[in-house]
């Protein structure tokens, strides 16, 4: 099977950025997550949308199976200081440290800073333009892909 | 094949390493050289899973039914690997892959592995990649491998050639039975499922399907027409698929079916590889012949024939 000649490589196309969009916690407000999911799709990304009430365990299982480049968590319940660090911890445990963890919701500035210091990416508040989010993910994923290649 | 040691990623997949499987599926999706090496290495470990395909027009409830079928297999203690294919935008290449959303509880089950693929356009990998992704899930040791595809057309045929049992799902809203017949869906079905069976028109649709089957030439397996309300219960679909599986196991039917399926896949691959090799470095020739056809100096068909002659000379 290792004969050299007939192994013509199949055509290679650039891999779209894959993003997991999840709603964590118990609040049922998924409008923001859906708007973001649609904007990312329209920017040419493959968006795996998980829907409501995802636990950190479910989010990381999904990230592993779907082999995503980034995770965006929408969180309006105030549980961000538990959810983000736990997801980060599980990502490390599963060998997924290369995955960008970002998100948004109503998160106080000082909490954003603390989470960023812990290794979470940018967190986006109300009023964020989707174009900013798209550019951020594109830039970060390009860096991380180059780094791991 | 057996002389070379397994690459480490292949070995990890065989060991049940889910992260390695996730990465391997990304390779299969890209169908790059790495993927070919991986698939070569794992080929000998395929063929153990029971492969099920669920297909049908958008919006008929395939994901919800798939959830129910997965749940029924899990209740029997079987592990399930799932490939869910959703359409990609032909304009941006982006895709919204929503099956995890529909399969919430099942997707969280540690003995269920769910991977979503975007179809990535007709020129992209899907027609080739999806069956290989099923091979990987099979080699990874799942008892059941389930593929769910949206849309209509070639994709469905590809599903049929790589699944042991194919369920075609329709609903009263998906048009009448004639539409399904036009789309070529009926002939790939081992099980026909009318979902949303409580809605108006469902019974008429089921009866129309039965009528079509009555008029079809006699075949060794007549697809049962089952009625479901996926949100409540997918048992009827599960049982019909199980019955087809049992039937396949009698008298070596499954080997025959798989051989036929592999022949179809082989043909597709040979086609792609031949075209790839023969057309490599032939852009100038193609440009010249296309120019002749555009200038009406040759017909298009004549230009194609003479291109082939020249390539094979």
């Amino acid at each position: 099977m290792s004969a050299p000649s007939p192994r013509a490589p199949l055509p290679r196309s650039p891999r779209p950025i894959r993003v997991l969009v999840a709603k964590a916690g118990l609040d049922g407000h998924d409008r923001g997550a859906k708007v973001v999911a649609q904007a990312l799709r329209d920017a040419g990304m493959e968006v795996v949308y998980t829907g409501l009430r995802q636990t950190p365990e479910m989010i990381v299982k999904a990230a592993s199976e779907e082999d995503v480049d980034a995770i965006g968590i929408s969180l309006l319940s105030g549980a961000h200081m538990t959810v983000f660090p736990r997801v980060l911890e599980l990502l490390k445990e599963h060998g997924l440290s290369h995955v960008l963890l970002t998100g948004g919701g109503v998160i106080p500035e000082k909490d954003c800073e603390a989470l960023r210091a812990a290794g979470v990416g940018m967190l986006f508040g109300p009023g964020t333009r989707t174009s900013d989010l798209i550019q951020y993910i594109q830039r970060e994923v390009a860096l991380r892909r180059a780094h791991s290649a | 094949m057996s002389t070379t040691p397994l690459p480490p990623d292949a070995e990890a997949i065989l060991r049940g390493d889910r992260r390695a499987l996730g990465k391997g599926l990304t390779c299969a999706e890209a169908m790059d050289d790495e993927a070919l090496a991986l698939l070569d290495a794992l080929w000998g470990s395929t063929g153990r899973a029971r492969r099920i395909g669920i297909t049908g027009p958008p919006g008929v409830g395939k994901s919800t039914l798939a959830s129910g079928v997965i749940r029924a297999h899990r209740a029997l203690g079987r592990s399930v690997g799932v490939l869910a294919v959703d359409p990609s935008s032909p304009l941006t290449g982006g895709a919204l892959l929503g099956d995890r959303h529909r399969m919430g509880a099942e997707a969280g089950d540690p003995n269920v592995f769910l991977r979503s693929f975007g179809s990535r356009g007709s020129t992209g990998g899907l027609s080739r990649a999806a069956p290989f992704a099923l091979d990987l899930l099979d080699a990874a040791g799942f008892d059941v491998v389930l593929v769910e595809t949206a849309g209509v057309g070639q994709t469905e045929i590809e599903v049929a050639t790589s699944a042991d049992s194919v369920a075609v799902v329709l609903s009263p809203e998906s048009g009448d039975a004639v539409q399904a017949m036009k789309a070529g869906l009926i002939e790939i079905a081992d099980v026909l499922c009318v979902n949303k069976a409580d809605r108006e028109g469902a019974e008429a649709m089921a009866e129309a399907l039965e009528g079509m089957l009555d008029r079809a030439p006699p075949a060794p397996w007549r697809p049962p027409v089952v009625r479901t309300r996926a949100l409540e219960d997918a048992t009827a679909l599960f049982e019909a698929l199980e019955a087809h599986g049992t039937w396949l196991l009698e008298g070596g039917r499954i080997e025959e079916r798989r051989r036929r399926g592999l022949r179809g896949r082989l043909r597709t691959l040979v086609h792609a590889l031949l075209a790839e090799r023969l057309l490599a470095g032939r852009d100038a020739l193609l440009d010249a012949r296309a120019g002749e056809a555009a200038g009406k100096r040759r017909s298009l068909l004549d230009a194609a024939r003479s291109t082939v002659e020249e390539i094979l000379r």
Side-chain angles (χ1 to χ4, degrees), chain A residues 48-133:
Chain A
V48 178
Y49 181 67
T50 66
L52 294 168
R53 287 180 276 280
Q54 298 287 302
T55 63
E57 286 74 14
M58 288 164 86
I59 289 169
V60 174
K61 178 178 189 280
S64 172
E65 293 175 357
E66 302 285 358
D67 198 18
V68 294
D69 299 288
I71 301 174
I73 297 178
S74 162
L75 223 163
L76 297 165
S77 65
H80 49 268
M81 293 310 278
T82 28
V83 170
F84 282 105
R86 178 70 184 138
V87 171
L88 214 50
E89 184 186 7
L90 287 168
L91 284 174
K92 285 206 186 83
E93 247 170 57
H94 287 77
L96 295 165
S97 305
H98 62 283
V99 174
L100 167 67
L101 177 59
T102 175
V106 191
I107 301 170
E109 187 52 42
K110 69 167 180 29
D111 289 354
C112 284
E113 281 164 22
L115 289 169
R116 279 193 65 91
V120 177
M122 290 265 287
L123 297 173
F124 296 85
T128 303
R129 285 181 310 182
T130 51
S131 57
D132 291 342
L133 181 62

Side-chain angles (χ1 to χ4, degrees), chain B residues 91-153:
Chain B
L91 294 179
T92 65
L96 192 54
L97 309 171
D99 286 275
R100 288 201 101 86
H101 180 38
R102 295 263 181 276
M103 300 184 191
E106 280 63 46
D109 181 336
N111 287 305
V112 174
F113 183 105
L114 169 57
R115 177 60 175 258
S116 318
F117 268 16
S119 59
R120 296 193 185 171
S122 52
T123 57
L126 172 74
S127 55
R128 285 185 221 147
F132 282 116
L134 298 184
D135 293 337
L136 284 189
L137 290 168
D138 184 342
F142 293 100
D143 299 315
V144 177
V145 169
L146 188 150
V147 59
E148 188 222 313
T149 62
V152 279

Side-chain angles (χ1 to χ4, degrees), chain B residues 36 47 69-70 85 99 126 214 243 260 263 291:
Chain B
L36 297 183
V69 171
I70 294 165
V85 186
D99 286 275
L126 172 74
D214 288 340
R260 239 186 312 130
R263 192 182 183 284

Side-chain angles (χ1 to χ4, degrees), chain A residues 6-22:
Chain A
R7 185 41 72 69
L10 295 164
R12 184 192 269 270
S13 51
R15 183 157 59 95
I17 294 176
R18 284 174 68 90
V19 187
L20 187 81
V21 173

Side-chain angles (χ1 to χ4, degrees), chain B residues 149-203:
Chain B
T149 62
V152 279
Q154 197 55 34
T155 319
E156 276 64 32
I157 311 299
E158 297 276 349
V159 170
T161 57
S162 54
D164 301 325
S165 302
V166 178
V168 170
V169 184
L170 302 166
S171 77
E173 292 88 358
S174 65
D176 60 13
V178 178
Q179 291 288 349
M181 195 164 63
K182 275 201 289 193
L185 275 170
I186 306 284
E187 59 257 49
I188 64 162
D190 301 303
V191 174
L192 283 160
C193 178
V194 178
N195 192 33
K196 310 188 189 182
D198 51 332
R199 301 237 178 129
E200 198 185 326
E203 200 44 44

Side-chain angles (χ1 to χ4, degrees), chain B residues 57-78:
Chain B
V60 295
K62 293 181 294 296
S63 307
T64 313
L65 277 170
S67 271
V69 171
I70 294 165
R71 203 155 46 236
H73 283 290
R74 289 294 303 126
L76 296 170
R78 300 172 185 158

